Amino acid sequence: MKYLNGLALTSAAILLAACGGGSDTGGSSSVDNSGARGSLVHNPPLRVTGMTAAEFATRLGETANGKSLLQIAGTPKCGVNFHYMEYGTVGGASEATNATGAIMVPTGSDPACAGARPIVLYAHGTTTDRAYNIADILDPARPGASEGSLLGAMYAAQGFIVVAPNYAGYDASRLAYHPYLNADQQSKEMIDALAAARKALPNIGSADSGKLLLTGYSQGGHVAMATHRALQAAGQTVTASAPMSGPYALAAQGEATYFGNVNLGSTVFTPMLVTSFQRAYGNIYTNLTDVYEPGFAPGMDTLLPSTTPIGTLFAEGKLPQTTLFSSTVPTAPTPALQALFNNITPPTTPASLAPLFALGFGTKNLITNQSRVDFLLDALANPDGAVPAVTTGATATAPAHPMRKALKANDLRNWSPKRPVMLCGGNGDPTVFYSINTQLMKSLWTAPSPLAPAAGLLTVLDVDSASPGAGDPFAAARAGFAQAKAATYAAGGANAVTQAYHGSLVPPFCNAAARGFFQQVLASGI
């Protein structure tokens, strides 16, 4: 089956029925077109497919990636029914909109698969593909299918209900943009998706145990943490959370980029952030050329996410692949600042990261020198407590630059969890820097910091580190990551490891660790 993005749900129903989808029950159905937050448009939602545990294992065993996933996730205990839902939510400026997502329900007679089950609310990572749909696992080539299979194997096939939004601005959402890393909107949307899914569960043969587990990777790590913060502030139940490789200290990540520590993927992340914040706050720019070079500015506010593959956008010159900033040193107002600008265009230290940073500089750059200078002058006048050097670790007290103000507004260094949290990542991540995100949050959440949670609530896992030895609950994740990293290096060298690190090496092992963490919390009754 080929799922056609953007079709009316009646057309989608026909397509799904042709693939064996439909309702799990023979009862009545309802339609809610109110658009209210948390409303479920079709109840019961469409079933994309259902597989027994044996059928799911067989399906995964048909591909090399599936076999690898089976080794990490383990043999399925449960069958899984995959459902596609549409729900009401809001955009970045609180405008009413819709979004879609997946509900994965464990099935089977194993005690781990029957009765009321815990819910894993999952937030996915950055994608430029507007057709992204985690529920559509039938065609492995479809955007979202791989992540949907991972979630099915890692969580649903082991007895967890999975709720996974595709996000506003993707798939059949009417929103013309995506509120990227907008902590308020994305946490609201996660809560809306959860509310909609809970309406569906009685009609798709499942029940909620009341145990809620939050997780997500990369962008989704930020979203998962923001959602935990929002639910906690509202007095709602959170059993545990496991954000993975996320830009939690979003302002610090942005500061590092403008100081020249350009991360892999920055030419995608930056325009998505600029568009998101412009839609939410309206003050990031007056004209697109305030931020972007004239050759790239036209249409940049509507470019991402796109139905055009990112490789094609690069090839057509709509975006530079790596060149965020100009290699021409910006002009500074003082000799001291000029010396600084000379040293960070690009930075040459640490030597091990200099080649990565150098990729972010060139002649066909995305961001204007003036835009970079304006950002840096404010950063130097109103410094962040983590970049360019760690001082307090806190966000800047009074940033004046509109982009810095927006980054601070969506930074997550301002709360303390009251339920168990595991942070997972890899210290060599070239995309979301471990030191100013995971490691910084660990520091802020460790006594004597005033933000430190109660003892025993925080666990931090660097999968790219040696096991401390006997009693390490994450020894398998560390060993598996080391093996995968070594195999990637053997096949393609250091560059292959850099390219694969964030997107494919870390995610399965952090997800396996997150599942183990959740199982431990559930068993402990904390």
Side-chain angles (χ1 to χ4, degrees):
M1 176 196 77
K2 183 175 181 180
Y3 185 81
L4 301 179
N5 173 51
L7 289 178
L9 282 183
T10 51
S11 299
I14 294 171
L15 288 169
L16 289 169
C19 296
S23 170
D24 283 346
T25 68
S28 61
S29 61
S30 63
V31 176
D32 184 350
N33 287 319
S34 68
R37 285 187 54 193
S39 58
L40 179 63
V41 176
H42 288 258
N43 193 2
L46 296 168
R47 188 178 73 175
V48 178
T49 190
M51 290 176 278
T52 66
E55 289 169 342
F56 195 15
T58 298
R59 178 182 177 83
L60 292 172
E62 291 172 350
T63 66
N65 287 340
K67 290 177 181 176
S68 177
L69 178 56
L70 271 176
Q71 289 181 335
I72 299 168
T75 302
K77 294 180 180 178
C78 313
V80 182
N81 285 339
F82 293 81
H83 299 267
Y84 174 83
M85 67 170 175
E86 181 183 3
Y87 53 93
T89 189
V90 291
S94 298
E95 68 271 46
T97 191
N98 69 317
T100 64
I103 309 173
M104 304 176 193
V105 174
T107 62
S109 58
D110 189 292
C113 314
R117 309 305 312 152
I119 292 178
V120 169
L121 181 58
Y122 181 87
H124 71 73
T126 305
T127 176
T128 63
D129 200 321
R130 200 185 193 286
Y132 204 81
N133 180 10
I134 290 175
D136 183 14
I137 70 158
L138 294 174
D139 180 356
R142 290 287 300 152
S146 176
E147 194 156 16
S149 293
L150 183 150
L151 297 179
M154 193 68 69
Y155 299 105
Q158 301 297 326
F160 297 89
I161 298 167
V162 175
V163 178
N166 292 324
Y167 298 154
Y170 289 93
D171 187 46
S173 174
R174 294 185 297 272
L175 198 65
Y177 68 101
H178 170 53
Y180 186 61
L181 293 172
N182 180 323
D184 178 67
Q185 185 280 335
Q186 296 220 259
S187 59
K188 285 177 177 175
E189 182 176 351
M190 291 284 280
I191 294 167
D192 294 342
L194 176 64
R198 281 175 164 157
K199 291 180 175 71
L201 293 179
N203 293 323
I204 56 177
S206 189
D208 174 10
S209 71
K211 303 294 185 182
L212 178 62
L213 308 160
L214 309 173
T215 189
Y217 187 78
S218 191
Q219 174 191 357
H222 179 276
V223 175
M225 186 181 288
T227 304
H228 189 162
R229 183 182 66 172
L231 286 168
Q232 179 174 293
Q236 301 297 308
T237 298
V238 174
T239 304
S241 70
M244 302 176 288
S245 296
Y248 321 115
L250 187 61
Q253 180 78 46
E255 305 274 294
T257 299
Y258 275 77
F259 271 98
N261 298 349
V262 182
N263 54 325
L264 201 64
S266 62
T267 57
V268 168
F269 307 144
T270 303
M272 290 185 72
L273 279 168
V274 169
T275 297
S276 172
F277 295 161
Q278 177 71 12
R279 291 279 191 160
Y281 311 122
N283 65 349
I284 304 302
Y285 57 80
T286 301
N287 300 301
L288 286 167
T289 49
D290 295 341
V291 176
Y292 305 111
E293 290 286 357
F296 291 111
M300 189 59 68
D301 55 335
T302 58
L303 185 65
L304 298 174
S306 176
T307 55
T308 303
I310 189 64
T312 303
L313 294 178
F314 290 149
E316 291 178 346
K318 299 292 180 63
L319 272 177
Q321 188 164 353
T322 62
T323 311
L324 186 68
F325 297 126
S326 174
S327 54
T328 299
V329 179
T331 300
T334 68
L337 286 177
Q338 191 64 60
L340 171 64
F341 288 179
N342 291 344
N343 289 335
I344 62 174
T345 308
T348 55
T349 57
S352 61
L353 293 176
L356 171 66
F357 300 155
L359 291 174
F361 292 82
T363 56
K364 295 183 178 180
N365 51 293
L366 181 64
I367 304 299
T368 69
N369 257 353
Q370 188 59 56
S371 177
R372 185 184 179 210
V373 167
D374 292 344
F375 188 106
L376 286 171
L377 291 179
D378 187 58
L380 292 166
N382 306 278
D384 186 281
V387 176
V390 176
T391 54
T392 64
T395 57
T397 302
H401 188 279
M403 190 65 180
R404 294 189 72 230
K405 291 170 71 173
L407 290 167
K408 177 179 177 176
N410 294 283
D411 194 290
L412 302 177
R413 285 177 279 173
N414 60 357
W415 75 294
S416 179
K418 297 179 181 178
R419 295 294 304 165
V421 174
M422 184 192 79
L423 302 178
C424 184
N427 70 72
D429 197 326
T431 301
V432 178
F433 298 138
Y434 185 90
S435 62
I436 56 173
N437 288 289
T438 302
Q439 189 171 306
L440 180 58
M441 294 306 298
K442 178 182 179 181
S443 174
L444 292 173
W445 283 350
T446 300
S449 167
L451 291 177
L457 291 185
L458 178 63
T459 301
V460 179
L461 171 61
D462 173 7
V463 294
D464 196 2
S465 62
S467 173
D472 176 16
F474 304 115
R478 297 180 206 266
F481 177 84
Q483 183 178 12
K485 181 180 176 182
T488 302
Y489 184 88
N495 184 60
V497 172
T498 298
Q499 295 294 326
Y501 198 103
H502 183 80
S504 58
L505 283 176
V506 174
F509 299 102
C510 272
N511 270 288
R515 187 185 73 195
F517 173 71
F518 290 154
Q519 290 168 330
Q520 181 184 40
V521 170
L522 291 171
S524 69
I526 297 175

mmCIF file with all atom_site columns, all heavy atoms in Angstrom, residues 399-413:
data_model
loop_
_atom_site.group_PDB
_atom_site.id
_atom_site.type_symbol
_atom_site.label_atom_id
_atom_site.label_alt_id
_atom_site.label_comp_id
_atom_site.label_asym_id
_atom_site.label_entity_id
_atom_site.label_seq_id
_atom_site.pdbx_PDB_ins_code
_atom_site.Cartn_x
_atom_site.Cartn_y
_atom_site.Cartn_z
_atom_site.occupancy
_atom_site.B_iso_or_equiv
_atom_site.pdbx_formal_charge
_atom_site.auth_seq_id
_atom_site.auth_comp_id
_atom_site.auth_asym_id
_atom_site.auth_atom_id
_atom_site.pdbx_PDB_model_num
ATOM 1   N N   . PRO A 1 399 ? 18.810 38.698 27.635 1.00 0.00 ? 399 PRO A N   1
ATOM 2   C CA  . PRO A 1 399 ? 19.146 38.802 26.214 1.00 0.00 ? 399 PRO A CA  1
ATOM 3   C C   . PRO A 1 399 ? 18.233 39.816 25.538 1.00 0.00 ? 399 PRO A C   1
ATOM 4   O O   . PRO A 1 399 ? 17.043 39.906 25.855 1.00 0.00 ? 399 PRO A O   1
ATOM 5   C CB  . PRO A 1 399 ? 18.908 37.388 25.687 1.00 0.00 ? 399 PRO A CB  1
ATOM 6   C CG  . PRO A 1 399 ? 17.910 36.792 26.633 1.00 0.00 ? 399 PRO A CG  1
ATOM 7   C CD  . PRO A 1 399 ? 18.240 37.388 27.968 1.00 0.00 ? 399 PRO A CD  1
ATOM 8   N N   . ALA A 1 400 ? 18.778 40.581 24.596 1.00 0.00 ? 400 ALA A N   1
ATOM 9   C CA  . ALA A 1 400 ? 17.995 41.591 23.886 1.00 0.00 ? 400 ALA A CA  1
ATOM 10  C C   . ALA A 1 400 ? 17.720 41.203 22.443 1.00 0.00 ? 400 ALA A C   1
ATOM 11  O O   . ALA A 1 400 ? 16.724 41.643 21.863 1.00 0.00 ? 400 ALA A O   1
ATOM 12  C CB  . ALA A 1 400 ? 18.726 42.937 23.934 1.00 0.00 ? 400 ALA A CB  1
ATOM 13  N N   . HIS A 1 401 ? 18.595 40.398 21.859 1.00 0.00 ? 401 HIS A N   1
ATOM 14  C CA  . HIS A 1 401 ? 18.415 39.977 20.466 1.00 0.00 ? 401 HIS A CA  1
ATOM 15  C C   . HIS A 1 401 ? 17.179 39.079 20.372 1.00 0.00 ? 401 HIS A C   1
ATOM 16  O O   . HIS A 1 401 ? 17.006 38.166 21.193 1.00 0.00 ? 401 HIS A O   1
ATOM 17  C CB  . HIS A 1 401 ? 19.670 39.228 20.008 1.00 0.00 ? 401 HIS A CB  1
ATOM 18  C CG  . HIS A 1 401 ? 19.691 38.922 18.556 1.00 0.00 ? 401 HIS A CG  1
ATOM 19  N ND1 . HIS A 1 401 ? 19.030 37.851 18.004 1.00 0.00 ? 401 HIS A ND1 1
ATOM 20  C CD2 . HIS A 1 401 ? 20.314 39.550 17.518 1.00 0.00 ? 401 HIS A CD2 1
ATOM 21  C CE1 . HIS A 1 401 ? 19.233 37.824 16.700 1.00 0.00 ? 401 HIS A CE1 1
ATOM 22  N NE2 . HIS A 1 401 ? 20.015 38.849 16.375 1.00 0.00 ? 401 HIS A NE2 1
ATOM 23  N N   . PRO A 1 402 ? 16.297 39.298 19.403 1.00 0.00 ? 402 PRO A N   1
ATOM 24  C CA  . PRO A 1 402 ? 15.041 38.537 19.362 1.00 0.00 ? 402 PRO A CA  1
ATOM 25  C C   . PRO A 1 402 ? 15.232 37.028 19.233 1.00 0.00 ? 402 PRO A C   1
ATOM 26  O O   . PRO A 1 402 ? 14.461 36.256 19.829 1.00 0.00 ? 402 PRO A O   1
ATOM 27  C CB  . PRO A 1 402 ? 14.303 39.106 18.148 1.00 0.00 ? 402 PRO A CB  1
ATOM 28  C CG  . PRO A 1 402 ? 15.331 39.851 17.359 1.00 0.00 ? 402 PRO A CG  1
ATOM 29  C CD  . PRO A 1 402 ? 16.336 40.326 18.339 1.00 0.00 ? 402 PRO A CD  1
ATOM 30  N N   . MET A 1 403 ? 16.244 36.595 18.502 1.00 0.00 ? 403 MET A N   1
ATOM 31  C CA  . MET A 1 403 ? 16.465 35.159 18.379 1.00 0.00 ? 403 MET A CA  1
ATOM 32  C C   . MET A 1 403 ? 16.964 34.584 19.691 1.00 0.00 ? 403 MET A C   1
ATOM 33  O O   . MET A 1 403 ? 16.553 33.500 20.108 1.00 0.00 ? 403 MET A O   1
ATOM 34  C CB  . MET A 1 403 ? 17.465 34.870 17.250 1.00 0.00 ? 403 MET A CB  1
ATOM 35  C CG  . MET A 1 403 ? 17.560 33.375 16.893 1.00 0.00 ? 403 MET A CG  1
ATOM 36  S SD  . MET A 1 403 ? 16.002 32.750 16.201 1.00 0.00 ? 403 MET A SD  1
ATOM 37  C CE  . MET A 1 403 ? 16.434 31.037 15.907 1.00 0.00 ? 403 MET A CE  1
ATOM 38  N N   . ARG A 1 404 ? 17.821 35.317 20.385 1.00 0.00 ? 404 ARG A N   1
ATOM 39  C CA  . ARG A 1 404 ? 18.310 34.843 21.683 1.00 0.00 ? 404 ARG A CA  1
ATOM 40  C C   . ARG A 1 404 ? 17.181 34.819 22.712 1.00 0.00 ? 404 ARG A C   1
ATOM 41  O O   . ARG A 1 404 ? 17.105 33.919 23.548 1.00 0.00 ? 404 ARG A O   1
ATOM 42  C CB  . ARG A 1 404 ? 19.459 35.718 22.189 1.00 0.00 ? 404 ARG A CB  1
ATOM 43  C CG  . ARG A 1 404 ? 20.721 35.625 21.328 1.00 0.00 ? 404 ARG A CG  1
ATOM 44  C CD  . ARG A 1 404 ? 21.886 36.339 21.994 1.00 0.00 ? 404 ARG A CD  1
ATOM 45  N NE  . ARG A 1 404 ? 22.368 35.596 23.152 1.00 0.00 ? 404 ARG A NE  1
ATOM 46  C CZ  . ARG A 1 404 ? 22.568 36.118 24.355 1.00 0.00 ? 404 ARG A CZ  1
ATOM 47  N NH1 . ARG A 1 404 ? 22.286 37.396 24.581 1.00 0.00 ? 404 ARG A NH1 1
ATOM 48  N NH2 . ARG A 1 404 ? 23.009 35.378 25.352 1.00 0.00 ? 404 ARG A NH2 1
ATOM 49  N N   . LYS A 1 405 ? 16.294 35.790 22.664 1.00 0.00 ? 405 LYS A N   1
ATOM 50  C CA  . LYS A 1 405 ? 15.142 35.802 23.567 1.00 0.00 ? 405 LYS A CA  1
ATOM 51  C C   . LYS A 1 405 ? 14.242 34.593 23.295 1.00 0.00 ? 405 LYS A C   1
ATOM 52  O O   . LYS A 1 405 ? 13.734 33.961 24.227 1.00 0.00 ? 405 LYS A O   1
ATOM 53  C CB  . LYS A 1 405 ? 14.355 37.100 23.406 1.00 0.00 ? 405 LYS A CB  1
ATOM 54  C CG  . LYS A 1 405 ? 15.104 38.324 23.910 1.00 0.00 ? 405 LYS A CG  1
ATOM 55  C CD  . LYS A 1 405 ? 14.410 39.621 23.535 1.00 0.00 ? 405 LYS A CD  1
ATOM 56  C CE  . LYS A 1 405 ? 13.128 39.823 24.316 1.00 0.00 ? 405 LYS A CE  1
ATOM 57  N NZ  . LYS A 1 405 ? 12.551 41.172 24.047 1.00 0.00 ? 405 LYS A NZ  1
ATOM 58  N N   . ALA A 1 406 ? 14.050 34.261 22.021 1.00 0.00 ? 406 ALA A N   1
ATOM 59  C CA  . ALA A 1 406 ? 13.214 33.114 21.662 1.00 0.00 ? 406 ALA A CA  1
ATOM 60  C C   . ALA A 1 406 ? 13.861 31.806 22.106 1.00 0.00 ? 406 ALA A C   1
ATOM 61  O O   . ALA A 1 406 ? 13.174 30.902 22.617 1.00 0.00 ? 406 ALA A O   1
ATOM 62  C CB  . ALA A 1 406 ? 12.970 33.102 20.155 1.00 0.00 ? 406 ALA A CB  1
ATOM 63  N N   . LEU A 1 407 ? 15.159 31.703 21.929 1.00 0.00 ? 407 LEU A N   1
ATOM 64  C CA  . LEU A 1 407 ? 15.855 30.494 22.357 1.00 0.00 ? 407 LEU A CA  1
ATOM 65  C C   . LEU A 1 407 ? 15.743 30.318 23.866 1.00 0.00 ? 407 LEU A C   1
ATOM 66  O O   . LEU A 1 407 ? 15.503 29.216 24.367 1.00 0.00 ? 407 LEU A O   1
ATOM 67  C CB  . LEU A 1 407 ? 17.322 30.543 21.926 1.00 0.00 ? 407 LEU A CB  1
ATOM 68  C CG  . LEU A 1 407 ? 17.592 30.404 20.426 1.00 0.00 ? 407 LEU A CG  1
ATOM 69  C CD1 . LEU A 1 407 ? 19.018 30.794 20.091 1.00 0.00 ? 407 LEU A CD1 1
ATOM 70  C CD2 . LEU A 1 407 ? 17.315 28.974 19.952 1.00 0.00 ? 407 LEU A CD2 1
ATOM 71  N N   . LYS A 1 408 ? 15.907 31.413 24.594 1.00 0.00 ? 408 LYS A N   1
ATOM 72  C CA  . LYS A 1 408 ? 15.781 31.337 26.051 1.00 0.00 ? 408 LYS A CA  1
ATOM 73  C C   . LYS A 1 408 ? 14.366 30.925 26.455 1.00 0.00 ? 408 LYS A C   1
ATOM 74  O O   . LYS A 1 408 ? 14.183 30.128 27.384 1.00 0.00 ? 408 LYS A O   1
ATOM 75  C CB  . LYS A 1 408 ? 16.134 32.675 26.693 1.00 0.00 ? 408 LYS A CB  1
ATOM 76  C CG  . LYS A 1 408 ? 15.933 32.662 28.213 1.00 0.00 ? 408 LYS A CG  1
ATOM 77  C CD  . LYS A 1 408 ? 16.302 33.978 28.880 1.00 0.00 ? 408 LYS A CD  1
ATOM 78  C CE  . LYS A 1 408 ? 16.012 33.902 30.381 1.00 0.00 ? 408 LYS A CE  1
ATOM 79  N NZ  . LYS A 1 408 ? 16.440 35.121 31.104 1.00 0.00 ? 408 LYS A NZ  1
ATOM 80  N N   . ALA A 1 409 ? 13.354 31.453 25.767 1.00 0.00 ? 409 ALA A N   1
ATOM 81  C CA  . ALA A 1 409 ? 11.965 31.143 26.108 1.00 0.00 ? 409 ALA A CA  1
ATOM 82  C C   . ALA A 1 409 ? 11.658 29.658 25.947 1.00 0.00 ? 409 ALA A C   1
ATOM 83  O O   . ALA A 1 409 ? 10.721 29.140 26.576 1.00 0.00 ? 409 ALA A O   1
ATOM 84  C CB  . ALA A 1 409 ? 11.025 31.966 25.235 1.00 0.00 ? 409 ALA A CB  1
ATOM 85  N N   . ASN A 1 410 ? 12.456 28.970 25.128 1.00 0.00 ? 410 ASN A N   1
ATOM 86  C CA  . ASN A 1 410 ? 12.209 27.556 24.862 1.00 0.00 ? 410 ASN A CA  1
ATOM 87  C C   . ASN A 1 410 ? 13.299 26.650 25.416 1.00 0.00 ? 410 ASN A C   1
ATOM 88  O O   . ASN A 1 410 ? 13.361 25.465 25.095 1.00 0.00 ? 410 ASN A O   1
ATOM 89  C CB  . ASN A 1 410 ? 12.043 27.357 23.356 1.00 0.00 ? 410 ASN A CB  1
ATOM 90  C CG  . ASN A 1 410 ? 10.795 28.049 22.847 1.00 0.00 ? 410 ASN A CG  1
ATOM 91  O OD1 . ASN A 1 410 ? 9.688  27.559 23.021 1.00 0.00 ? 410 ASN A OD1 1
ATOM 92  N ND2 . ASN A 1 410 ? 10.971 29.229 22.256 1.00 0.00 ? 410 ASN A ND2 1
ATOM 93  N N   . ASP A 1 411 ? 14.142 27.224 26.252 1.00 0.00 ? 411 ASP A N   1
ATOM 94  C CA  . ASP A 1 411 ? 15.196 26.490 26.938 1.00 0.00 ? 411 ASP A CA  1
ATOM 95  C C   . ASP A 1 411 ? 14.596 25.805 28.171 1.00 0.00 ? 411 ASP A C   1
ATOM 96  O O   . ASP A 1 411 ? 13.659 26.311 28.788 1.00 0.00 ? 411 ASP A O   1
ATOM 97  C CB  . ASP A 1 411 ? 16.294 27.483 27.356 1.00 0.00 ? 411 ASP A CB  1
ATOM 98  C CG  . ASP A 1 411 ? 17.581 26.812 27.778 1.00 0.00 ? 411 ASP A CG  1
ATOM 99  O OD1 . ASP A 1 411 ? 17.579 26.175 28.848 1.00 0.00 ? 411 ASP A OD1 1
ATOM 100 O OD2 . ASP A 1 411 ? 18.587 26.960 27.069 1.00 0.00 ? 411 ASP A OD2 1
ATOM 101 N N   . LEU A 1 412 ? 15.134 24.657 28.534 1.00 0.00 ? 412 LEU A N   1
ATOM 102 C CA  . LEU A 1 412 ? 14.539 23.849 29.612 1.00 0.00 ? 412 LEU A CA  1
ATOM 103 C C   . LEU A 1 412 ? 15.401 23.811 30.876 1.00 0.00 ? 412 LEU A C   1
ATOM 104 O O   . LEU A 1 412 ? 15.275 22.888 31.681 1.00 0.00 ? 412 LEU A O   1
ATOM 105 C CB  . LEU A 1 412 ? 14.286 22.433 29.102 1.00 0.00 ? 412 LEU A CB  1
ATOM 106 C CG  . LEU A 1 412 ? 13.375 22.339 27.876 1.00 0.00 ? 412 LEU A CG  1
ATOM 107 C CD1 . LEU A 1 412 ? 13.243 20.900 27.409 1.00 0.00 ? 412 LEU A CD1 1
ATOM 108 C CD2 . LEU A 1 412 ? 12.007 22.942 28.145 1.00 0.00 ? 412 LEU A CD2 1
ATOM 109 N N   . ARG A 1 413 ? 16.220 24.822 31.072 1.00 0.00 ? 413 ARG A N   1
ATOM 110 C CA  . ARG A 1 413 ? 17.073 24.875 32.263 1.00 0.00 ? 413 ARG A CA  1
ATOM 111 C C   . ARG A 1 413 ? 16.388 25.587 33.433 1.00 0.00 ? 413 ARG A C   1
ATOM 112 O O   . ARG A 1 413 ? 17.060 26.222 34.237 1.00 0.00 ? 413 ARG A O   1
ATOM 113 C CB  . ARG A 1 413 ? 18.396 25.582 31.927 1.00 0.00 ? 413 ARG A CB  1
ATOM 114 C CG  . ARG A 1 413 ? 19.362 24.743 31.133 1.00 0.00 ? 413 ARG A CG  1
ATOM 115 C CD  . ARG A 1 413 ? 20.615 25.532 30.779 1.00 0.00 ? 413 ARG A CD  1
ATOM 116 N NE  . ARG A 1 413 ? 20.422 26.384 29.629 1.00 0.00 ? 413 ARG A NE  1
ATOM 117 C CZ  . ARG A 1 413 ? 21.332 27.272 29.194 1.00 0.00 ? 413 ARG A CZ  1
ATOM 118 N NH1 . ARG A 1 413 ? 22.466 27.441 29.867 1.00 0.00 ? 413 ARG A NH1 1
ATOM 119 N NH2 . ARG A 1 413 ? 21.092 28.006 28.129 1.00 0.00 ? 413 ARG A NH2 1
#
